[in-house]
Amino acid sequence: MTETRKPGDELAEDMLGFGGRDVLTAKDLLLRPAAVLRSWMEGGPDGGGLYARPLRLYLALNAILMLILFLRGGAGFVLDGLSAAQWEPLLDMSGKSRDAFVADADGWMTLVMVPILSAFYAIAAAPLLRWWDPDDLGWRRGFRAAFGWLCAWTVPVLPLSAFGYGSGPLAAAVGALTALIGVVAFVRMGPGRWFQSPLSGVLKGVALMIAVQLSAMVGGVLVGAIGIVGALVSP
């Protein structure tokens, strides 16, 4: 069968990285995530030709998150936790003012933050989703399931993401809400596959979110380290 693509789909994909199939997948992830997961697990990475591939969709969602991060002023907030004793040797080695150092570090961190954290999310989620699935998924389908859940989590979070970057009370509140949405996405997506009862679904969803948040802490340290090294070597 020949795939029919509308001109509007091609224009949207050229401009935003999104086509008609991506939009359909995002919509169904909001409305019936369990059916989308079943299609991905049983029909292959494109759900039997119906849906976008989960990794491809997640990369497109990440591109939007990177744009939002850039428009919100970048990732300089990652260095907010450094003490005066930690700043002093960094500024001495770089020969820069603190503002100049943060500006250089921010450029590097804004570039790598979203893809690095996304990779850590997938690495944390895939083993658990593979373990909880009654089928012998193997690592390939295990990561497909992980990216599928990450897409189901990210789609409803996108409208909130502009308020989630930073270190203030609003960012903390949005972070907590984002974690709750991740648990809800797991519970809606995995009944009969990742869990059999609502209670076990909630408990596993919380465990999954804890694993993802711990991996994000490690990824955040790596992001900060890249920013610091980048600022030190930048002229």
Side-chain angles (χ1 to χ4, degrees), residues 28-35 152 156 183-191 195:
D28 281 1
L29 284 172
L30 286 173
L31 299 179
R32 48 192 199 111
V183 175
V184 171
F186 173 86
V187 172
R188 294 184 66 221
M189 194 173 218
F195 58 88

Side-chain angles (χ1 to χ4, degrees), residues 59-110:
L59 291 175
L61 294 171
N62 278 343
I64 298 174
L65 290 173
M66 289 181 68
L67 176 61
I68 293 172
L69 176 61
F70 174 77
L71 294 176
R72 288 287 296 170
F77 61 86
V78 173
L79 302 182
D80 286 350
L82 294 181
S83 66
Q86 293 171 313
W87 273 113
E88 185 175 350
L90 293 175
L91 299 180
D92 288 343
M93 284 187 290
S94 66
K96 302 174 182 177
S97 68
R98 178 165 173 168
D99 287 344
F101 189 95
V102 171
D104 288 339
D106 176 68
W108 288 92
M109 293 187 297
T110 301

Side-chain angles (χ1 to χ4, degrees), residues 131-221:
W131 175 31
W132 292 333
D133 200 295
D135 295 336
D136 184 10
L137 296 181
W139 284 112
R140 185 172 182 178
R141 283 205 298 160
F143 274 100
R144 187 189 307 163
F147 284 116
W149 169 69
L150 287 170
C151 288
W153 179 20
T154 305
V155 168
V157 163
L158 276 180
L160 302 173
S161 58
F163 308 100
Y165 294 119
S167 54
L170 177 59
V174 172
L177 179 57
T178 296
L180 176 62
I181 292 173
V183 175
V184 171
F186 173 86
V187 172
R188 294 184 66 221
M189 194 173 218
R193 177 175 291 273
W194 296 331
F195 58 88
Q196 299 302 319
S197 69
L199 177 60
S200 65
V202 171
L203 293 176
K204 286 183 175 180
V206 171
L208 176 63
M209 189 53 57
I210 291 173
V212 165
Q213 294 302 322
L214 290 175
S215 73
M217 293 173 61
V218 177
V221 172

